[in-house]
Amino acid sequence: MFPLLLLLFALLPSSHGAQIPSPDQPKEIPVATNGQLFPWDRMRLPKTISPLHYDLSLHPNLTTLDFTGVVRIDLDVHEDTSVVVLHAKKMYISSALLLAPAGTRVLQVLEYPRFHQLALMSDVVLTKGRKYEVQLEFAANLSDSYHGFYKSSYRTSTGEVRVMASTQFEATFARGAFPCFDEPAFKANFTIRIIREPRHIAISNMPKVRTVELPGDLLEDHFDTTVRMSTYLVAYIVSDFQSVSRTTQHGVKISIYAVPEKINQTAFALDAAVKLLDFYDDYFDIPYPLPKQDLAAIPDFQSGAMENWGLTTYRETGLLFDPDRSSASDKLGITKVIAHELAHQWFGNLVTMEWWNDLWLNEGFAKFMEFVSLDITYPELQVDDFFLGKCFEAMEVDSLSSSHPVSTPVENPTQIQEMFDDVSYDKGACILNMLRDFLTPEAFEIGIIRYLKRFSYQNTVNSHLWESLTDICSSDDLDEGRMKHKEFCSKRKDESGASKWYSGDELDVRAIMDTWTLQEGFPLVTVEVKGREVRLSQERFLRTDNPSLTEGFLWQIPLTYMTSASRSVHRFLLKTKSDVLYLPEEVDWVKFNVNMSGYYMVHYGGGGWNSIISLLHHNHTALSGNDRASLIHNVFQLVSVEKVRLDTALELSLYLSRETEIMAVWQGFGELVPLYKLMEKRDMPELENQMKSFIVDLFRGLIDQQEWNDSGSVSQRVLRSYLLLFACVRNYSPCVTKATRLFNQWRDSDGTMSLPVDITMAVFMVGARTREGWDFLYEKYRTSLQMSVKSRLKWAMAVTTMTDKLQWMMEQSLNGEVMKTQDLPDVIISVARNPHGFKLAWDFLRTHWHTLIQKFDLGSSTISHLVAGVTNQYSTREMLHRGQRSFQATFARGPGRSNTFVLVCFCLLLCSCVQIRSFFDSLTEEAGSQMRCIQQSYETIEDNIRWMDRNLPLLQAWLNKHGSRNHHQEL
């Protein structure tokens, strides 16, 4: 019966990830808007001409919400041509002139909106090797989305709404603000002028050099010319922001900009930016090339932040910090996002990927450098405790057949947007961390500095990085290198008798890393120990029931391992499908992927898992916290591919009753909570409650140890906040009682009573359970100026059982007057995770799909997270009740009760899949039908079906047995 359900699901119409048209397919003949043949038929611009310099003048009108502009572009002609093809989107071009040595000539303008292209047709040939200039006058509306040159607004404490304008050009949105060559390889210099009213200020990438008074009580700010950079890094803001400033040790002026009433929340960000820019200046051995670095908190902002050169922009929650109201996790998050954007000033801005297929060279490095920089500059934040989670998140999507290589071909804007995902960011960071561990941190640092110096102000591809990390102690680089690098290479030369920095054969970094960047997925290494012999084999880890999809994959894997006989880290490069290594002596246990420094999973064959489980139950501290977290992660993930039985994974989890370290505890929750989430929406209260009780009992000791204050390290505080929140959500009586008492006291004080920040999530969540409490929280949300407080209030309100409130929150967020529309995706996902709101969220997503993709952009990570968050455990109660009655009637004299539950659950999941497929397959390509996230959603639901098929009866039996065992122990 169950295979039939999967077969039925498989036969439903499929939707595939975004595909690039085959070069063999006939191309559509491009026709301009005036009916003429458009002279270019490709999405990528021709390379016959490149820009050298833009002189850009803009006049935004914050009353009429539009803008006008003039751009003069200096051109370098590489081939004789009479056509200049560049980008412009939703823009009126009123004039186009060619400014040539022979005089000024009018250019005919052809528009091809499908590719966002303009063709400037000249009646004279532009000659190879000559320099020309074109001038275009243009006008457009300020965008009402979060990209291009867009409108933003905020409400003051007195209720006044103030309007501003800001930019977000990555990846392909500069073309919506001014005509330009909007591809990363077309680097140029930019000189910008902005006309404004006296009540506003204007800021841009470079410092202001002067302000000129114009007729009509207007001012024009002139900014210095930028360094050579890509169009997506251009930025400008017109607002009433205020700022605070400091100067770094290297003489760079750092300024934080925010709305006036929140400027007192900028001190922490200012300190962090100064410290981190100084760190990068020294670490990369390349001076930051601009005289200033501004960080601006934008009231309306879609992503977390943006690395515009000299003017990085952020969500307010990503920059503003109140020492009395912000949490330890707020401090960690703000510091990480600043570290990320400032790392981009070198990785991405100074050295830029040639094309968006290698986006990971920007984002993977910036994500990786977050942790490298903060480990040194802010050791108290203990960022290493959180890096592992990034690798787990990447593996979640990378274990699907719809994943993509880190470096993968992309062509159109939607495909480009889809590259901004966990694979480019988190997998990119994790494979860099693996390479750093393999090469040694010293060698890695030398290599990446060489990469930055070799390719400054240029564009790169994958191979440029691998070449820079190979033979790092060459004489040329030693002549240029820093003293500590020379000492490192000299030491290696003395040790090896040669200039090689790696013992044994010459290391081919490119051959190793191509296996990690040019193919999707990651390896599962199976380890089987027999005496001193360790047999190794590798295969792709893939959550599928089609074994053929795992064939043809081979990685060069830098293995690390330790044993019961030696805590030293041993290394072995696995290049083949299988291999054997020999231990000096027989051991009780072996642990591969030490500290999970490698981007791979490990399966311990034979009795290997039994040895690991025994070790964890008797002496879990023999392994590091990261090692324990990786074992928890691996064993539960292996259940989903039938390598390990569920009861084996659950037996391993029992050791968690003695666990205290954040990553291991967090991963325990991360693997166990989804098990009851699979039942939570499917009317299986008995089994659901058994699972919830098991988790509460497992962590009861650690929960009871938590103090209701803000003491301890950052990791301890983050863990405390989560544990108390979980306990209250699960109605653990001591937690609910205390949180209720504190909420009532806080409400009686009209919110003026000071609550320990770490406990506020639990207190607010309990308060939101009553209508009066929810209304009070909303009133505090409406009037608060502290962004971190607003975030916690918003989340707590979305946990309520009152469906009318949940629906109202989504509608209010869409409206955007009180709850910002930028937060709408988070609100929808929070409602979807609520067992009382999942159907509301799905209906809302379907109803407002076209509004959402217009506001947040097709292919964006926001839309991807939204689709995943709403659908990954979707079901409907109506279908459940209907299916339950039908199956109970059919099987009244057939299968036992637990089997009936399984059948009901699968019928429900199938119906849910049909609904999801029916909706997404009804979309046009322009509305997102080809997005990768949709295929990932289908795969996740299929995996849920298989998991329930195989494991639900086993889970029921294990919980019954475990509950019985605990009952006898208590008696």
Side-chain angles (χ1 to χ4, degrees):
M1 184 63 185
F2 301 145
L4 176 61
L5 289 175
L6 283 173
L7 178 61
L8 288 171
F9 184 90
L11 291 175
L12 290 168
S14 65
S15 175
H16 302 287
Q19 301 294 316
I20 297 169
S22 166
D24 298 327
Q25 293 176 348
K27 292 182 179 176
E28 178 182 314
I29 297 175
V31 178
T33 53
N34 67 352
Q36 286 184 231
L37 187 68
F38 194 79
W40 187 248
D41 64 353
R42 301 176 192 175
M43 197 163 288
R44 299 278 297 274
L45 296 179
K47 300 187 185 304
T48 52
I49 289 177
S50 59
L52 297 172
H53 176 264
Y54 293 80
D55 191 298
L56 176 62
S57 177
L58 289 158
H59 180 193
N61 187 318
L62 300 189
T63 302
T64 59
L65 302 180
D66 53 19
F67 62 95
T68 57
V70 180
V71 62
R72 294 172 60 143
I73 311 174
D74 295 335
L75 302 175
D76 191 5
V77 180
H78 308 297
E79 297 177 21
D80 288 358
T81 183
S82 59
V83 180
V84 179
V85 181
L86 71 166
H87 289 113
K89 181 180 179 183
K90 294 183 178 179
M91 191 172 290
Y92 171 67
I93 308 296
S94 57
S95 169
L97 301 175
L98 174 67
L99 310 179
T104 299
R105 309 181 79 93
V106 175
L107 296 169
Q108 182 190 11
V109 179
L110 299 182
E111 299 180 49
Y112 188 49
R114 183 180 176 217
F115 289 171
H116 309 154
Q117 289 175 356
L118 296 179
L120 309 180
M121 313 294 291
S122 171
D123 57 3
V124 296
V125 174
L126 280 62
T127 307
K128 177 182 177 179
R130 300 276 298 273
K131 302 291 190 294
Y132 297 85
E133 187 176 14
V134 293
Q135 175 179 295
L136 295 97
E137 297 180 15
F138 57 94
N141 292 322
L142 289 172
S143 171
D144 59 0
S145 66
Y146 298 104
H147 43 258
F149 192 20
Y150 70 94
K151 181 202 81 168
S152 177
S153 65
Y154 70 94
R155 190 182 298 272
T156 68
S157 58
T158 61
E160 178 191 357
V161 175
R162 296 185 181 178
V163 177
M164 56 170 286
S166 184
T167 58
Q168 170 62 41
F169 290 162
E170 191 179 38
T172 59
F173 301 116
R175 64 192 65 174
F178 60 98
C180 60
F181 295 78
D182 199 14
E183 295 179 8
F186 287 112
K187 290 191 171 185
N189 305 98
F190 297 81
T191 303
I192 296 173
R193 300 189 302 277
I194 296 178
I195 298 172
R196 61 176 173 86
E197 296 178 57
R199 63 194 174 106
H200 294 133
I201 64 164
I203 53 177
S204 187
N205 302 85
M206 296 296 287
K208 183 173 64 176
V209 292
R210 65 182 176 276
T211 298
V212 177
E213 292 186 5
L214 299 180
D217 195 27
L218 295 173
L219 301 174
E220 184 178 61
D221 291 331
H222 294 228
F223 298 92
D224 209 348
T225 302
T226 71
V227 294
R228 190 166 176 266
M229 66 185 195
S230 304
T231 50
Y232 77 88
L233 296 171
V234 174
Y236 35 86
I237 299 170
V238 178
S239 69
D240 67 342
F241 282 176
Q242 294 180 358
S243 65
V244 294
S245 303
R246 272 179 50 197
T247 302
T248 70
Q249 294 177 1
H250 297 273
V252 179
K253 183 181 179 181
I254 306 287
S255 300
I256 313 292
Y257 284 84
V259 302
E261 289 183 310
K262 297 175 183 175
I263 197 67
N264 61 343
Q265 299 176 48
T266 58
F268 177 77
L270 182 60
D271 289 343
V274 168
K275 183 182 288 191
L276 285 162
L277 198 70
D278 273 331
F279 167 80
Y280 287 133
D281 221 314
D282 294 333
Y283 183 89
F284 295 133
D285 196 31
I286 301 172
Y288 175 75
L290 307 186
K292 62 95 173 177
Q293 171 63 234
D294 297 336
L295 299 84
I298 311 298
D300 295 287
F301 201 78
Q302 179 174 333
S303 58
M306 177 59 204
E307 65 266 22
N308 316 300
W309 214 344
L311 174 52
T312 52
T313 47
Y314 303 77
R315 275 198 175 204
E316 290 184 322
T317 51
L319 202 61
L320 304 181
F321 182 85
D322 183 336
D324 298 322
R325 302 287 188 89
S326 299
S327 67
S329 59
D330 293 330
K331 177 181 285 190
L332 178 66
I334 290 168
T335 316
K336 282 174 59 182
V337 75
I338 293 173
H340 184 101
E341 302 313 322
L342 295 187
H344 269 310
Q345 307 302 300
W346 285 264
F347 282 103
N349 299 7
L350 183 66
V351 180
T352 312
M353 76 269 140
E354 179 79 20
W355 181 243
W356 299 106
N357 62 303
D358 280 328
L359 173 68
W360 85 277
L361 290 173
N362 285 18
E363 298 300 348
F365 257 112
K367 177 61 67 175
F368 172 70
M369 288 306 301
E370 285 179 31
F371 292 89
V372 173
S373 63
L374 296 186
D375 187 48
I376 296 170
T377 57
Y378 286 89
E380 69 275 13
L381 293 180
Q382 300 169 294
V383 289
D384 280 351
D385 287 346
F386 304 94
F387 184 77
L388 204 57
K390 293 297 163 188
C391 303
F392 294 153
E393 289 172 18
M395 286 177 165
E396 184 71 19
V397 295
D398 211 17
S399 62
L400 301 173
S401 62
S402 53
S403 185
H404 64 89
V406 166
S407 179
T408 196
V410 291
E411 196 72 12
N412 65 48
T414 298
Q415 294 164 354
I416 292 168
Q417 285 290 89
E418 287 190 300
M419 289 296 289
F420 290 80
D421 66 357
D422 289 343
V423 173
S424 296
Y425 284 72
D426 296 341
K427 180 178 180 178
C430 292
I431 63 175
L432 288 172
N433 184 62
M434 176 174 66
L435 182 60
R436 179 180 187 244
D437 179 72
F438 186 56
L439 298 180
T440 73
E442 297 87 353
F444 183 83
E445 181 181 339
I446 294 170
I448 63 171
I449 291 172
R450 176 161 70 168
Y451 168 76
L452 290 172
K453 289 185 174 181
R454 279 183 175 180
F455 299 104
S456 291
Y457 303 103
Q458 299 179 54
N459 297 84
T460 60
V461 296
N462 261 354
S463 58
H464 292 139
L465 176 61
W466 310 141
E467 290 163 8
S468 298
L469 286 161
T470 301
D471 193 20
I472 62 165
C473 289
S474 66
S475 58
D476 290 344
D477 287 296
L478 279 178
D479 291 341
E480 300 175 5
R482 292 185 287 184
M483 181 57 66
K484 71 173 183 177
H485 294 167
K486 294 181 181 180
E487 292 172 353
F488 171 79
C489 291
S490 176
K491 181 181 178 183
R492 282 303 173 103
K493 185 174 181 180
D494 293 341
E495 290 175 352
S496 62
S499 61
K500 297 176 184 177
W501 50 264
Y502 182 79
S503 60
D505 297 334
E506 184 66 55
L507 190 67
D508 189 340
V509 174
R510 180 173 181 175
I512 294 173
M513 296 309 295
D514 277 354
T515 69
W516 295 95
T517 60
L518 301 183
Q519 61 183 352
E520 69 271 25
F522 59 90
L524 169 64
V525 176
T526 298
V527 176
E528 193 162 349
V529 181
K530 293 189 175 180
R532 292 177 48 241
E533 184 180 84
V534 181
R535 297 179 182 177
L536 305 167
S537 63
Q538 63 163 293
E539 61 187 296
R540 182 182 177 188
F541 181 92
L542 189 64
R543 289 187 283 157
T544 180
D545 57 352
N546 186 352
S548 66
L549 295 177
T550 66
E551 296 172 0
F553 289 86
L554 183 69
W555 286 265
Q556 292 196 29
I557 311 173
L559 298 177
T560 56
Y561 65 96
M562 59 188 295
T563 71
S564 58
S566 171
R567 301 303 166 85
S568 300
V569 178
H570 305 278
R571 300 178 185 276
F572 184 82
L573 185 61
L574 180 62
K575 297 182 177 182
T576 54
K577 206 73 173 175
S578 60
D579 210 334
V580 178
L581 62 83
Y582 295 91
L583 303 174
E585 58 188 305
E586 293 190 16
V587 296
D588 295 328
W589 53 265
V590 60
K591 167 65 173 72
F592 272 75
N593 203 357
V594 178
N595 287 320
M596 201 171 162
S597 58
Y599 187 73
Y600 58 92
M601 286 191 198
V602 182
H603 171 45
Y604 298 92
W609 279 112
N610 292 334
S611 299
I612 293 290
I613 291 170
S614 177
L615 173 66
L616 290 175
H617 284 188
H618 293 96
N619 183 22
H620 67 281
T621 56
L623 300 174
S624 70
N626 275 3
D627 275 327
R628 303 195 296 271
S630 70
L631 288 169
I632 296 164
H633 173 267
N634 287 189
V635 75
F636 277 95
Q637 295 303 309
L638 289 168
V639 172
S640 68
V641 294
E642 295 188 274
K643 295 287 186 181
V644 173
R645 283 171 53 92
L646 177 60
D647 50 0
T648 300
L650 291 168
E651 288 295 329
L652 183 146
S653 74
L654 293 175
Y655 104 88
L656 285 165
S657 62
R658 297 186 302 281
E659 184 59 84
T660 59
E661 293 199 25
I662 186 168
M663 270 313 302
V665 172
W666 220 329
Q667 201 55 40
F669 278 107
E671 301 298 341
L672 293 169
V673 168
L675 302 192
Y676 76 69
K677 283 291 183 183
L678 284 174
M679 305 166 236
E680 193 173 53
K681 305 178 182 71
R682 296 170 175 85
D683 200 21
M684 306 174 70
E686 185 176 338
L687 184 57
E688 173 193 331
N689 289 328
Q690 273 186 280
M691 190 66 210
K692 291 175 178 177
S693 296
F694 165 69
I695 300 174
V696 171
D697 288 342
L698 190 63
F699 292 104
R700 186 191 303 271
L702 191 57
I703 292 169
D704 289 342
Q705 291 172 22
Q706 302 307 306
E707 298 178 355
W708 291 64
N709 58 36
D710 291 335
S711 63
S713 67
V714 169
S715 291
Q716 289 169 334
R717 293 182 60 186
V718 171
L719 183 58
R720 173 190 299 124
S721 183
Y722 181 84
L723 286 169
L724 294 179
L725 177 61
F726 174 81
C728 285
V729 169
R730 294 281 58 85
N731 293 315
Y732 181 50
S733 181
C735 179
V736 173
T737 300
K738 187 152 190 173
T740 302
R741 178 171 55 81
L742 287 170
F743 179 79
N744 290 336
Q745 292 174 355
W746 179 69
R747 185 179 59 183
D748 291 344
S749 73
D750 195 27
T752 61
M753 182 181 117
S754 179
L755 288 170
V757 177
D758 296 345
I759 69 168
T760 52
M761 289 284 278
V763 172
F764 293 164
M765 186 280 302
V766 169
R769 289 179 169 176
T770 68
R771 194 164 293 273
E772 296 77 12
W774 195 98
D775 290 341
F776 183 78
L777 290 171
Y778 172 71
E779 182 59 24
K780 293 296 126 183
Y781 175 91
R782 192 182 64 78
T783 58
S784 176
L785 291 174
Q786 279 75 34
M787 301 312 299
S788 57
V789 174
K790 289 175 82 79
S791 293
R792 292 194 292 275
L793 289 166
K794 178 186 64 185
W795 184 91
M797 290 188 289
V799 182
T800 185
T801 60
M802 294 175 284
T803 56
D804 60 320
K805 297 293 190 184
L806 298 175
Q807 182 69 30
W808 187 85
M809 281 185 72
M810 292 189 291
E811 291 169 355
Q812 282 296 308
S813 298
L814 180 62
N815 177 272
E817 285 192 16
V818 179
M819 291 189 164
K820 285 281 190 181
T821 304
Q822 66 173 7
D823 298 327
L824 176 59
D826 290 337
V827 171
I828 297 172
I829 291 171
S830 294
V831 172
R833 290 173 179 167
N834 185 330
H836 301 277
F838 63 93
K839 185 180 184 300
L840 297 175
W842 169 244
D843 289 343
F844 191 90
L845 178 73
R846 288 189 298 176
T847 302
H848 298 286
W849 176 257
H850 293 280
T851 301
L852 290 167
I853 61 173
Q854 182 177 0
K855 189 73 175 176
F856 297 102
D857 201 60
L858 204 61
S860 68
S861 60
T862 302
I863 294 296
S864 296
H865 290 148
L866 189 56
V867 170
V870 171
T871 66
N872 60 4
Q873 291 168 338
Y874 172 76
S875 61
T876 64
R877 291 188 180 276
E878 293 83 356
M879 290 178 181
L880 174 59
H881 296 152
R882 188 159 60 244
Q884 189 171 16
R885 287 193 296 271
S886 171
F887 273 104
Q888 284 176 342
T890 304
F891 293 96
R893 298 181 182 179
R897 184 169 180 274
S898 64
N899 286 337
T900 303
F901 275 161
V902 176
L903 289 167
V904 172
C905 193
F906 286 131
C907 179
L908 173 60
L909 276 169
L910 179 65
C911 291
S912 302
C913 297
V914 173
Q915 270 202 24
I916 291 167
R917 278 195 183 275
S918 176
F919 171 69
F920 286 124
D921 287 348
S922 72
L923 300 175
T924 63
E925 184 173 349
E926 291 73 22
S929 65
Q930 302 298 302
M931 287 192 300
R932 185 184 295 117
C933 64
I934 292 173
Q935 184 64 29
Q936 290 172 341
S937 174
Y938 296 162
E939 285 192 64
T940 299
I941 296 171
E942 290 171 344
D943 186 50
N944 289 344
I945 294 173
R946 287 190 296 269
W947 195 98
M948 297 291 281
D949 183 0
R950 293 191 293 258
N951 296 303
L952 196 62
L954 187 59
L955 177 61
Q956 177 79 74
W958 190 89
L959 287 173
N960 288 341
K961 178 182 175 184
H962 179 77
S964 175
R965 183 194 311 165
N966 277 359
H967 178 68
H968 287 306
Q969 287 173 349
E970 290 172 8
L971 290 177

